[in-house]
Amino acid sequence: MRLLGFLRERRAALVLTIALLALAGLEIARRLPASIFPSVTFPVIKVIADAGEEPAARLMPTVTRPLEEALLRVPGIRVVRSTTSRGSTEISANFTWGTDMQVALQRVQGEVGRIRTDLPSEAKVDIEWMNTAIFPILGYALTSDTRSQAALWELAEYKLKPELIRIPGVSQVQIQGGRRREFQVRLDPRALAARKLGPADVVNAIRKNNQVLSAGLTEANHELYLSLVDGRVGGLDALGEIDVPIPGGGVPADLKDLGTIAPADAVSYIRTTADGRPAVLVNIIRQPDANTVEIARDVDALFRDHPTLIPSDTRWATFYDQADFVSRSVNGVRDAILIGVGLAALILLAFLRDLKLTLIAVAAIPLCVALLLLALGVFGQTINLMTLGGIAAAIGLIADDAIVVVENIHRHREAGAPDPVRSGLFELMPALMGSTSSTIVIFLPFALLTGVTGAFFKPLALTMALALAISFFLAALVIPMLSRASGNTRAPRESGHSRFRAVVSLFLRRSSLAAAVPLLLLVGACLLFRSIGTDFLPAMDEGSIILDYWTPPGTSLTDTDAMLGGAEKIIMALPDLQSYSRRTGTQLGFFITEPNRGDYVIRLKPRRQRRPIDEVMDEIRTRLAAAQPAIHTDFGQLIEDNIGDLTGGVPQPIDLKIFGEDQTLLQQKARQAAEILGKVKGVEDVFDGIVIAGPALQIRLAPSETAAAGSSNEPARFGLTTEEVHDAVEPAVAGTVASNILIGERLYDVRVFARSESGLRDLLIRTPSGTLLPLTTIASITTGPPEAEIDRENLKT
């Protein structure tokens, strides 16, 4: 009470201080980072290594195991999981919660760097710390009816990307899809045979000529010169003039005389579409402390202020907007505050019939929220789903403290107390302190939670605890001062709430009835508890669907794209659809992806204009199963999918693991387990975990030249090495990138093709003696069995 007296004498200073703090809270709220997830340090680091097109069985001992062993040496490591596919391996390193992940990331990078020389020279290793800021917050699609995919890619890469990445808060701009331009040299087999040349000779000639080499430094004319031997070509005509030496001597052949040279689209096994047309997708990733809503506004302002960035014949459409979800969440909390203020005002006015006291009580709600936003900024929190949920949940508690204090002061005034503010607050203070402290104590166990639950619910608990503490401060100190300033009310009168008093009197007279009602409610709650589902997050309608799909193992990209064309007709026919995007051969995240896999991001219309999201997913699932039964699907929403990726890449609520060394037996047991799980009530999608990368075309050389040429039907090497055969076969299959050409500031690859009209079997290989032989004379060509991805898990005990 001494404090109350002290503040009473400095009422103006107190009111001014609270007002300034509230204004500061509103200003900080405007600058607080806004995102869907709280700033959670997820203890997961992912390593992806790409080693070309190596088979999984070969990649396991050369890349996967060395990387696993390197990661297991990092302190704090708990589990290392790996998935090895053709040419790529994906490793997830899970650390114990509480590990300093910045230090862990540096140690992982150091361990990987230490073994880098032990990995294949062509292997590329990417390391990412899996935090909430690595996923795109905005997704846009570039489409055009007149421009090619290569033109759209160049527009996105060279014009839009530099502008977007300069926006404050943007850390990365990802370009998915489209085609890159390159110069393709298509060799004529007859021209090569006439000069006894092989494709490797042409590739070597381009590499040795199209380069610039330093010959050292030299002093002359009082200056220091850098000596350069420059043979670079600057265009199509100069490329055709490159000399290709003839084996055994003779006049070198010009490259243009050995085939055709022309610009073309590069080979790509990634396809992206949007709204029924081929598209280039632009994904924007934010900095960890950036504001999602501000970035979205800046992107809109960029194109509004610079309309020429997007040509008139090109469409720029949004297929994913996380800022819209955050804005709707913020608006929802704002509406909850306004509704809470309105309802509290009506109830108080009805019971107290005092406008001044009613305004004082309801003013405490927005004032407390403003101070709470200031406290969140001080404690390093952000505007996210959990803090917004805490604010919304605390509104009732905030209003309760203010209403109780105002009502008790009002009652003491009606009773004629000489100092109703002092006596009313003195009477209520023990109960107010007890209720507030006991409620705050309830949230203390949340600080002890670990794992994903603790990471998400700590911000919620902190928000509610701060709201209760601020609410108590306002109710105990500020509201009494304002109530005193409001003056005395008019003489008390009968309120007339006879029905309310009758109900209260009934329960007071019959204590057994008062005990029976909550007991019945408790029994009913226990019975209903068994029928209530469980989940990590509450059921939400995000307005966006993530549809992961995969076609049968080994399906070509062309056939996969054709099947998905039928799937897209079903998606586009949905009345609830606003826009969508599709990725094939890549995904919306940090993963390895086969060309027969990918995902859709389906953006639905606003909730008031469509059905619930579960009904939309059920319709897509049913219609896809009927129209395209070969396409396997897995449905979800983006938030839950991202959480699954952050916690180890398992978005499904149930993950059954089967361990063993025999891959055939493991696949058999996995199929049996999937069949059993599919019969469980409530299960919608089941995946057996078996991912088939596809078959292999094996070109196997003879073990040694055991027979003279022509003396046996078995293949013989004729002195050729495996590398020499590979250098001849690669141009006939995918083409060999021999060099690149710099035009302006853009690099274009030079790819050499040497395809035979009748395929690989008649491909001519030049032996060291200069003889040209068909490939089948040197090697056997067979189709290998389909190869499955290899999953492993190492526990650190």
Side-chain angles (χ1 to χ4, degrees):
M1 291 298 114
R2 291 181 180 178
L3 178 61
L4 189 62
F6 176 80
L7 294 177
R8 182 191 308 170
E9 297 175 358
R10 295 161 177 80
R11 183 186 308 156
L14 175 64
V15 173
L16 180 61
T17 301
I18 295 298
L20 291 176
L21 290 175
L23 291 176
L26 295 177
E27 178 62 22
I28 285 182
R30 193 176 65 84
R31 301 183 180 183
L32 278 179
S35 59
I36 287 183
F37 301 114
S39 299
V40 179
T41 302
F42 283 89
V44 180
I45 293 177
K46 186 174 287 188
V47 179
I48 290 183
D50 188 345
E53 287 80 28
E54 289 283 337
R58 172 70 178 172
L59 206 64
M60 175 62 68
T62 59
V63 176
T64 303
R65 285 179 180 170
L67 287 174
E68 288 177 346
E69 293 171 1
L71 294 177
L72 288 170
R73 286 192 292 267
V74 178
I77 199 77
R78 187 172 57 88
V79 181
V80 173
R81 297 188 180 96
S82 68
T83 298
T84 306
S85 184
R86 290 192 295 190
S88 302
T89 181
E90 177 183 314
I91 303 176
S92 295
N94 293 59
F95 291 78
T96 55
W97 284 91
T99 301
D100 188 336
M101 293 308 298
Q102 294 289 356
V103 175
L105 178 61
Q106 294 173 5
R107 288 176 171 170
V108 168
Q109 292 170 338
E111 291 293 340
V112 172
R114 191 174 65 83
I115 68 161
R116 187 64 184 84
T117 55
D118 299 332
L119 301 178
S121 58
E122 68 275 11
K124 299 178 182 178
V125 182
D126 291 327
I127 303 174
E128 283 282 357
W129 169 31
M130 300 296 286
N131 56 69
T132 55
I134 71 166
F135 296 104
I137 59 170
L138 299 168
Y140 302 96
L142 276 172
T143 57
S144 176
D145 294 329
T146 58
R147 293 177 179 256
S148 66
Q149 287 294 287
L152 289 177
W153 183 87
E154 290 188 348
L155 171 65
E157 181 69 23
Y158 297 115
K159 189 174 181 180
L160 299 182
K161 185 176 181 178
E163 296 291 338
L164 292 170
I165 208 165
R166 282 199 288 265
I167 293 176
V170 175
S171 68
Q172 187 179 355
V173 177
Q174 294 178 342
I175 309 297
Q176 292 181 316
R179 296 291 187 91
R180 299 191 182 193
R181 298 292 284 176
E182 65 181 11
F183 292 101
Q184 293 185 356
V185 181
R186 296 189 173 271
L187 300 176
D188 184 352
R190 288 169 293 185
L192 291 178
R195 294 169 176 83
K196 296 185 178 181
L197 289 171
D201 298 320
V202 178
V203 171
N204 290 332
I206 296 174
R207 286 175 178 170
K208 291 180 179 180
N209 281 284
N210 185 38
Q211 58 181 326
V212 55
L213 300 174
S214 171
L217 298 172
T218 183
E219 291 187 11
N221 301 322
H222 307 286
E223 292 181 320
L224 184 65
Y225 291 89
L226 173 63
S227 301
L228 297 175
V229 180
D230 193 350
R232 292 174 298 178
V233 299
L236 205 62
D237 294 337
L239 180 63
E241 298 298 331
I242 288 180
D243 290 334
V244 181
I246 302 298
V251 180
D254 289 340
L255 183 60
K256 62 183 179 183
D257 297 330
L258 301 178
T260 59
I261 307 173
D265 291 344
V267 178
S268 175
Y269 291 97
I270 293 176
R271 295 290 184 272
T272 52
T273 64
D275 301 331
R277 288 178 287 183
V280 173
L281 307 181
V282 181
N283 301 318
I284 296 179
I285 299 174
R286 67 180 179 90
Q287 298 282 358
D289 58 348
N291 190 314
T292 301
V293 179
E294 288 295 329
I295 292 176
R297 291 173 182 169
D298 289 342
V299 172
D300 292 338
L302 173 67
F303 292 108
R304 183 177 61 251
D305 299 337
H306 301 83
T308 57
L309 283 176
I310 304 295
S312 58
D313 60 349
T314 304
R315 183 169 178 261
W316 173 265
T318 304
F319 68 82
Y320 177 56
D321 188 354
Q322 195 179 100
D324 180 63
F325 187 85
V326 175
S327 298
R328 285 190 282 114
S329 301
V330 172
N331 294 338
V333 173
R334 178 203 61 195
D335 295 341
I337 294 173
L338 295 177
I339 293 172
V341 168
L343 293 177
L346 290 175
I347 294 174
L348 275 176
L349 193 60
F351 278 86
L352 301 182
R353 299 192 178 184
D354 190 306
L355 181 60
K356 292 182 179 180
L357 287 179
T358 299
L359 292 177
I360 291 172
V362 298
I365 299 176
L367 185 61
C368 183
V369 172
L371 295 176
L372 176 58
L373 293 171
L374 175 63
L376 290 177
V378 172
F379 280 89
Q381 296 298 313
T382 63
I383 302 297
N384 55 74
L385 287 182
M386 307 314 291
T387 53
L388 288 175
I391 294 173
I395 288 176
L397 300 175
I398 295 170
D400 182 64
D401 287 345
I403 290 172
V404 167
V405 171
V406 168
E407 190 276 333
N408 205 47
I409 293 174
H410 177 75
R411 187 173 62 83
H412 277 251
R413 280 181 177 172
E414 288 186 333
D419 191 348
V421 173
R422 179 184 178 88
S423 60
L425 186 61
F426 181 80
E427 179 184 53
L428 196 61
M429 185 59 69
L432 188 64
M433 293 180 62
S435 64
T436 302
S437 58
S438 61
T439 308
I440 292 177
V441 166
I442 292 175
F443 296 107
L444 291 181
F446 283 92
L448 304 177
L449 290 175
T450 59
V452 183
T453 305
F456 273 84
F457 285 98
K458 282 179 183 177
L460 174 67
L462 177 63
T463 302
M464 296 196 68
L466 290 174
L468 289 170
I470 296 171
S471 175
F472 171 77
F473 170 78
L474 293 177
L477 300 178
V478 179
I479 290 178
M481 294 297 97
L482 297 177
S483 299
R484 186 179 299 279
S486 67
N488 293 324
T489 59
R490 55 182 175 271
R493 61 180 181 178
E494 181 67 28
S495 62
H497 299 293
S498 56
R499 293 183 180 179
F500 175 75
R501 292 186 174 184
V503 173
V504 173
S505 300
L506 175 64
F507 280 94
L508 290 176
R509 291 194 308 269
R510 300 188 179 183
S511 57
S512 58
L513 179 61
V517 172
L519 182 62
L520 289 174
L521 293 175
L522 180 62
V523 173
C526 293
L527 294 176
L528 292 174
F529 176 76
R530 299 177 60 87
S531 62
I532 296 177
T534 58
D535 208 341
F536 177 71
L537 290 175
M540 293 184 294
D541 189 338
E542 302 173 26
S544 294
I545 299 172
I546 184 76
L547 193 168
D548 294 321
Y549 62 84
W550 58 99
T551 56
T555 304
S556 68
L557 180 62
T558 302
D559 290 340
T560 297
D561 198 48
M563 283 189 280
L564 294 173
E568 290 182 12
K569 293 179 181 178
I570 295 174
I571 295 174
M572 294 178 65
L574 290 172
D576 315 272
L577 178 70
Q578 180 166 327
S579 62
Y580 79 91
S581 67
R582 187 252 291 183
R583 283 147 294 278
T584 303
T586 185
Q587 289 178 271
L588 197 69
F590 192 59
F591 310 99
I592 59 173
T593 310
E594 294 291 336
N596 68 318
R597 296 176 65 93
D599 60 31
Y600 284 92
V601 173
I602 302 172
R603 188 182 185 192
L604 304 179
K605 294 178 180 178
R607 191 177 305 178
R608 64 182 179 275
Q609 301 177 15
R610 60 173 171 82
R611 297 167 293 170
I613 196 167
D614 290 334
E615 293 184 15
V616 179
M617 286 193 289
D618 288 340
E619 180 179 346
I620 298 175
R621 181 186 291 106
T622 303
R623 296 182 63 184
L624 273 180
Q628 299 289 341
I631 300 178
H632 298 273
T633 58
D634 184 15
F635 287 81
Q637 298 190 64
L638 279 171
I639 291 180
E640 63 184 24
D641 189 68
N642 289 347
I643 292 175
D645 296 335
L646 290 170
T647 55
V650 185
Q652 291 80 9
I654 299 176
D655 182 27
L656 177 64
K657 301 175 184 177
I658 305 174
F659 295 92
E661 297 294 333
D662 188 340
Q663 288 294 320
T664 303
L665 181 60
L666 285 176
Q667 293 181 19
Q668 177 185 350
K669 294 300 181 183
R671 293 188 180 94
Q672 294 175 359
E675 184 178 352
I676 294 172
L677 291 175
K679 299 177 182 178
V680 176
K681 183 179 179 181
V683 173
E684 291 183 347
D685 300 303
V686 178
F687 174 47
D688 57 20
I690 303 172
V691 179
I692 304 297
L697 190 65
Q698 295 182 344
I699 302 170
R700 186 174 295 278
L701 300 181
S704 62
E705 193 172 349
T706 56
S711 63
S712 173
N713 292 327
E714 295 296 327
R717 288 202 178 190
F718 294 94
L720 288 167
T721 65
T722 302
E723 184 177 358
E724 289 172 336
V725 176
H726 166 269
D727 291 343
V729 172
E730 185 183 48
V733 178
T736 299
V737 176
S739 185
N740 52 62
I741 297 177
L742 179 65
I743 300 178
E745 294 184 353
R746 304 180 185 182
L747 276 176
Y748 297 91
D749 289 338
V750 177
R751 189 182 299 269
V752 177
F753 285 96
R755 290 176 176 170
S756 173
E757 296 180 357
S758 54
L760 284 179
R761 296 189 177 275
D762 292 333
L763 178 67
L764 297 178
I765 309 291
R766 186 170 61 83
T767 66
S769 62
T771 306
L772 294 176
L773 296 174
L775 178 61
T776 50
T777 306
I778 302 167
S780 60
I781 304 176
T782 58
T783 302
E787 185 180 24
E789 291 184 355
I790 303 173
D791 294 327
R792 286 164 52 88
E793 180 172 286
N794 295 276
L795 298 176
K796 188 76 171 181
T797 57

